[in-house]
Amino acid sequence: MRKVSTRSLASHKLRLVLTVFSVVLGTSFVAAAVIFTSTVSNAFNAIFDNVAQGVSVEVTAAESDAPGVPVELVEKLRDSKNELGIDRLVENFGGPVTVADSSGKAIQTGGAPSVASAFIPEGEGIGDPMTLVDGRAPASENEITINRDAADKAGLHVGSTTKVVLGTGVSDPIDVTIVGLTDLPTSTGGYVGIQFDQQTAEDYFSDGDYIGVVDMTAVPGVSDSELRDRVHTALGDAKTVDELYKVRTGDQVRADQKAEISEFLTIFRYILLAFAGIGLLVGTFIIYNTFSMIVAQRNRELALLRAIGASRKDVSRSVLTEALLVGVLGGAIGLGLGAAIAAGMLAFTKSQGLPSNGIEVGLSAIASAVFVGIIVTMLSAWIPARRASRIPPVEAMRESTVEPGAGSLRKRTLIGAVLGVLAVAALVVGGLGEGSGPALIVAVGAVLAIVAVVLAAPALSQPFVGALGGVFQKPFGTVGRLARTNAVRNPRRSAATAFALTLGLMLVVVIGTLGSSFKGTINSAVDKGVKADFIITGTNGGQMPLGLADAVRKAPDAQTVVSQAIAIAKLDGKNLWMTAPLGGKLSDVAVVTPVEGVVDVPADGMAVDQPTASEQGWKIGDDVKLTSLTGTDVTVPIVGIYEPSEIAGPRLIGQNVYDKLVPSEAMRVVQPIWVKGKPGVDADTLRSQLEDVTAPYLIAQIQDREQFKNAISSQIDQMMITLYALLGLSLVIAVLGIINTLALSVVERKREIGMLRAVGMARAQVRRSIYLESTYIAVFGALLGAVLGLAIGVPLVRTLAYWGLEGVVIPWSLIGGTLVGAAVVGVVAALWPAVTAARTRPLEAIVEG
């Protein structure tokens, strides 16, 4: 039977190629996801292996936005060096910066860090010294060194003058001269690292009360873990120390940084695998369809095997053996294609700043591709294999190639109808609520709806394709009627072929509905909630120095300038984010609707939105005890409650509260800065003034309300394009499925086509009938996908109202485009099978049949 299986594959090369290719497309994305994430992970691990080299113990603030370690604690550690076992103690000062390139514009990092630190001469630091590859170390406040990679990218060199903008504080842009180039082990992608001399770094990044990072080495005989425990004890009460600081060994620092990037890559891997899973699901239907057709075409062959003594198990085993060989071959080729896809992704991400040391194909990638290929193919072939085993020997004497099991659809349609009713109930109930609970109900309804469609689609295809064929019957006459007959001849097969397109377009419509609704919410929020004439945002990820807001206030025709700063405090041990409107009243530039009290909070007050007030049980007059990240307690009264606002956020605090919670070296503005001009001022004049005062800060982006909406919408569009590109996998497989089905159908109907040619059917008419048959199936699948997508997308959006989504915006143009595109897909997918069918020679087909 093994020989029978291998010879059957070898004798049907076209069928083998089509089946293997459907496995390849699914497994290749699984392999690509594993290869890509493991390669990037290994590259980051190589970088982080150089972090904190030589450091025995490192002490930092527990939260990244906290100012650091108090100077008095550092002095306490320095005075106790001998008792604790500290050999060397080094203070590190630094923070985020923006650096101008040779043209005076900000160096674009592609999301990589752009930071400043102190230049530590050889012999004074810990671990490997900072390596100068050109020039010298900085010696004054207007001198810097910069990593060579960033300098080359920015067109800078030793002797170049440029500007540096500190990411915190109120300082103006600094004119500096590059006196040296460094080679940093952490330099990769778009990373920018500059160094000031020690005193300048301390002046810029510390107010004299805190130090950002403190590194220590242990004396001989004291292990890193022993020194860590001693330092932890010396800093004070264990609970307080754990709340305010991180005391870690060098190994722990490296492990924590690796864990952070590993968490990001894990999420990214899951996203890629989710889309690969969609491809595999679609591919499963195609493979199932293919093996069902193969069994149908081999009825006589398999029945003959039964007649000469093969058992049911033998026949079933022969089909599964073919599936195994196809799975192994498809998985192996999928691995190679996956490596190529991963290489392309790595080339792109490297250009955007992510590191890469060359593609790495590990054992896990090999195992996943081959394993998935085999499992998916074997499962897809299992039901056809069972059907094959039930073929009676007498079938060998028949001429037909009717697919086994293509009988009554009553039972599966009834089950599909019941599940459909349950799905509708779940979608309606979930869509009437808000939050995670209703969203989960919608998810259950979506699963039920998909299963219901799988079961009921064959019964649905007959009336739909029949009606569609009736429309095309008039212009195409007999050819249109023949195409309709062929499309509904085997509803199971037609539905399975169409479902590949249904699933892909369902996801397109769901994602499109979410994206359109998000954009609609943003547009509505800006139209209804923004009074400002101009909105200033940053190009460095959203945070701007306070000095930029002060510069904007110097514009002659700017009447009101309100910047929004972020403060983080702890409430009952949990971090709480708050917004502080600085420089003016928020109500002058935005619409925030009060429910009770005031929204323009006094300097010592706090206002919250309704959901926050309800969740915390707060009311007007209540005092809230907040704890800053440095451990300072600040009691703040609730002075107002307002309706939820995207602009205000859930909590607003006054200037004095902000000053108490946030040390000066950690102060920064979260975008945007709202600007309202004086009455009667010309918009172009005000824009020109704003451009002049913000130009030295490198990062300011000035937008009016329409530009602001468009900028946010474009970000959503970019994300949508990425998702659509990934969903393109399922659509490619869907097209392949139609090609596969039609090609095998042409083989199956070779004698029939030969007879039609013999009685006078022209080649063009044969091609036209295949085009129409494919179009009927594709449009049916697309329409089913659009309806299913709307049925899931609309209630899903309604559940997200809890998180601020205002209402459902249905992307009608997208849906219309997908239906038209489906018709085009039907024609394109049918090109090759139609040409093959048209070339059928009548006499040969009749004889071979």
Side-chain angles (χ1 to χ4, degrees):
M1 294 306 295
R2 284 195 295 271
K3 288 182 180 180
V4 170
S5 299
T6 54
R7 288 178 179 175
S8 175
L9 289 173
S11 62
H12 298 87
K13 295 181 178 61
L14 175 61
R15 189 175 69 197
L16 173 64
V17 170
L18 290 170
T19 311
V20 168
F21 193 44
S22 61
V23 179
V24 167
L25 280 175
T27 56
S28 62
F29 264 68
V30 175
V34 175
I35 292 171
F36 174 79
T37 52
S38 62
T39 299
V40 175
S41 179
N42 290 338
F44 271 110
N45 287 342
I47 293 170
F48 293 143
D49 284 338
N50 292 309
V51 172
Q53 281 295 334
V55 174
S56 297
V57 175
E58 181 177 281
V59 183
T60 61
E63 303 290 344
S64 58
D65 286 322
V69 184
V71 169
E72 60 266 22
L73 285 183
V74 178
E75 291 302 322
K76 180 180 178 181
L77 294 176
R78 194 186 302 278
D79 293 339
S80 305
K81 285 176 62 176
N82 294 335
E83 294 85 0
L84 297 175
I86 299 172
D87 180 32
R88 180 176 292 176
L89 185 149
V90 176
E91 303 168 356
N92 296 311
F93 301 93
V97 293
T98 301
V99 183
D101 60 18
S102 58
S103 65
K105 298 180 180 179
I107 299 176
Q108 299 302 310
T109 66
S114 179
V115 296
S117 61
F119 187 94
I120 302 177
E122 186 173 356
E124 296 181 18
I126 295 175
D128 295 334
M130 194 169 290
T131 304
L132 275 171
V133 295
D134 192 11
R136 59 175 175 83
S140 65
E141 63 179 356
N142 296 112
E143 295 180 345
I144 65 167
T145 57
I146 185 171
N147 60 307
R148 179 171 51 185
D149 293 343
D152 291 343
K153 179 181 178 181
L156 302 173
H157 52 80
V158 173
S160 295
T161 58
T162 187
K163 288 183 180 293
V164 172
V165 179
L166 304 184
T168 57
V170 295
S171 65
D172 293 328
I174 305 161
D175 293 314
V176 296
T177 300
I178 296 175
V179 297
L181 301 180
T182 59
D183 187 9
L184 303 177
T186 54
S187 178
T188 183
Y191 176 85
V192 177
I194 68 170
Q195 296 79 38
F196 295 98
D197 68 273
Q198 183 79 13
Q199 186 58 54
T200 300
E202 183 175 350
D203 293 340
Y204 285 155
F205 299 106
S206 174
D207 60 357
D209 295 328
Y210 294 92
I211 296 170
V213 179
V214 181
D215 289 333
M216 289 162 273
T217 58
V219 298
V222 177
S223 68
D224 292 352
S225 57
E226 286 176 334
L227 181 58
R228 177 200 59 201
D229 294 340
R230 294 177 185 180
V231 169
H232 191 282
T233 301
L235 289 176
D237 175 72
K239 183 178 180 181
T240 303
V241 171
D242 290 336
E243 288 180 352
L244 299 178
Y245 313 111
K246 289 181 180 178
V247 184
R248 298 173 293 176
T249 65
D251 288 340
Q252 288 175 320
V253 172
R254 289 185 286 275
D256 288 347
Q257 293 201 9
K258 290 180 182 180
E260 288 178 8
I261 192 63
S262 177
E263 183 178 353
F264 161 74
L265 290 174
T266 298
I267 295 172
F268 193 74
R269 181 189 291 119
Y270 286 153
I271 293 173
L272 290 178
L273 289 176
F275 283 98
I278 293 169
L280 282 173
L281 179 59
V282 174
T284 298
F285 276 86
I286 295 173
I287 300 167
Y288 165 78
N289 225 16
T290 301
F291 275 95
S292 294
M293 296 177 73
I294 289 172
V295 168
Q297 292 173 18
R298 295 171 58 197
N299 276 358
R300 295 180 65 191
E301 174 190 330
L302 297 175
L304 186 59
L305 289 174
R306 290 292 313 281
I308 62 176
S311 66
R312 285 188 173 186
K313 287 185 178 180
D314 289 333
V315 172
S316 178
R317 195 177 298 121
S318 72
V319 176
L320 290 176
T321 299
E322 290 185 34
L324 176 63
L325 295 173
V326 167
V328 172
L329 184 58
I333 298 174
L335 175 63
L337 181 59
I341 294 171
M345 295 168 64
L346 287 166
F348 172 75
T349 54
K350 187 175 182 179
S351 69
Q352 300 300 309
L354 280 178
S356 175
N357 295 327
I359 193 167
E360 300 179 20
V361 182
L363 185 61
S364 59
I366 297 172
S368 63
V370 177
F371 178 77
V372 169
I374 293 173
I375 293 300
V376 168
T377 309
M378 294 288 284
L379 288 176
S380 302
W382 179 65
I383 293 178
R386 286 186 60 206
R387 288 176 180 169
S389 69
R390 295 173 181 173
I391 297 175
V394 73
E395 192 72 26
M397 295 180 288
R398 295 181 181 174
E399 296 293 330
S400 65
T401 58
V402 177
E403 186 175 322
S408 174
L409 300 173
R410 184 178 302 171
K411 184 177 180 181
R412 64 180 291 168
T413 304
L414 182 61
I415 296 173
V418 172
L419 292 178
V421 171
L422 294 176
V424 170
L427 292 170
V428 170
V429 171
L432 293 176
E434 298 178 8
S436 55
L440 182 60
I441 295 174
V442 169
V444 172
V447 173
L448 290 173
I450 293 171
V451 176
V453 166
V454 171
L455 294 174
L460 293 173
S461 68
Q462 291 177 314
F464 176 84
V465 174
L468 188 63
V471 173
F472 284 93
Q473 183 174 325
K474 292 183 179 179
F476 291 101
T478 303
V479 171
R481 187 162 56 252
L482 179 63
R484 181 182 65 174
T485 301
N486 288 334
V488 298
R489 175 185 295 181
N490 192 321
R492 293 173 187 265
R493 180 190 303 171
S494 297
T497 304
F499 184 74
L501 203 56
T502 296
L503 187 61
L505 292 182
M506 177 202 76
L507 292 169
V508 168
V509 172
V510 169
I511 292 173
T513 303
L514 285 171
S516 299
S517 299
F518 273 114
K519 288 196 290 185
T521 297
I522 290 167
N523 291 341
S524 177
V526 173
D527 290 336
K528 296 178 182 178
V530 177
K531 298 180 183 178
D533 298 314
F534 288 99
I535 301 100
I536 299 177
T537 58
T539 59
N540 64 343
Q543 295 184 335
M544 301 176 283
L546 296 179
L548 175 58
D550 291 339
V552 173
R553 294 185 178 96
K554 295 176 183 178
D557 289 319
Q559 181 180 44
T560 305
V561 177
V562 179
S563 56
Q564 290 180 268
I566 288 293
I568 305 175
K570 289 186 178 293
L571 178 67
D572 299 328
K574 296 181 180 179
N575 283 351
L576 206 65
W577 293 74
M578 294 158 286
T579 304
L582 306 178
K585 295 181 179 180
L586 186 60
S587 61
D588 287 341
V589 294
V591 176
V592 182
T593 306
V595 175
E596 188 178 359
V598 297
V599 294
D600 290 321
V601 291
D604 293 306
M606 179 167 72
V608 297
D609 65 9
Q610 278 182 306
T612 301
S614 300
E615 182 182 344
Q616 298 288 346
W618 291 339
K619 58 183 183 296
I620 299 294
D622 286 352
D623 287 331
V624 179
K625 185 178 179 181
L626 304 173
T627 304
S628 72
L629 297 182
T630 60
T632 303
D633 290 333
V634 180
T635 301
V636 189
I638 302 293
V639 298
I641 298 173
Y642 53 90
E643 293 181 1
S645 167
E646 294 292 327
I647 295 172
R651 292 166 285 272
L652 292 171
I653 57 174
Q655 174 81 62
N656 290 349
V657 179
Y658 176 74
D659 292 340
K660 292 175 184 177
L661 290 174
V662 184
S664 59
E665 67 273 16
M667 289 182 175
R668 65 197 71 180
V669 172
V670 63
Q671 61 180 337
I673 298 173
W674 310 97
V675 182
K676 189 173 181 62
K678 293 179 180 178
V681 65
D682 179 69
D684 292 337
T685 300
L686 180 56
R687 181 190 289 272
S688 179
Q689 293 174 0
L690 294 174
E691 289 173 348
D692 290 340
V693 296
T694 59
Y697 285 85
L698 306 176
I699 60 173
Q701 183 174 241
I702 300 166
Q703 301 168 322
D704 60 27
R705 276 175 284 195
E706 285 302 314
Q707 291 171 327
F708 183 58
K709 288 192 297 186
N710 292 338
I712 299 175
S713 294
S714 66
Q715 294 175 7
I716 296 175
D717 288 337
Q718 288 176 4
M719 181 180 67
M720 302 289 288
I721 289 172
T722 303
L723 293 175
Y724 289 149
L726 290 170
L727 282 175
L729 166 68
S730 63
L731 298 180
V732 168
I733 298 176
V735 173
L736 171 69
I738 297 174
I739 295 174
N740 197 335
T741 300
L742 289 175
L744 290 172
S745 180
V746 166
V747 174
E748 179 183 82
R749 290 161 22 204
K750 189 172 183 179
R751 185 177 186 185
E752 173 188 320
I753 294 171
M755 289 290 292
L756 291 171
R757 293 278 289 116
V759 298
M761 193 173 192
R763 287 186 174 185
Q765 291 177 312
V766 173
R767 289 196 297 269
R768 201 173 300 130
S769 70
I770 301 295
Y771 295 154
L772 288 174
E773 180 183 347
S774 176
T775 301
Y776 294 159
I777 294 172
V779 172
F780 169 66
L783 186 62
L784 204 58
V787 172
L788 195 57
L790 284 175
I792 296 170
V794 170
L796 180 61
V797 169
R798 292 179 63 88
T799 65
L800 298 178
Y802 179 82
W803 289 280
L805 218 57
E806 231 179 53
V808 179
V809 178
I810 297 175
W812 292 115
S813 59
L814 175 67
I815 294 172
T818 58
L819 295 178
V820 173
V824 175
V825 163
V827 174
V828 172
L831 288 176
W832 176 50
V835 170
T836 302
R839 290 176 178 171
T840 302
R841 295 181 179 180
L843 293 179
E844 289 182 7
I846 295 171
V847 172
E848 289 179 15

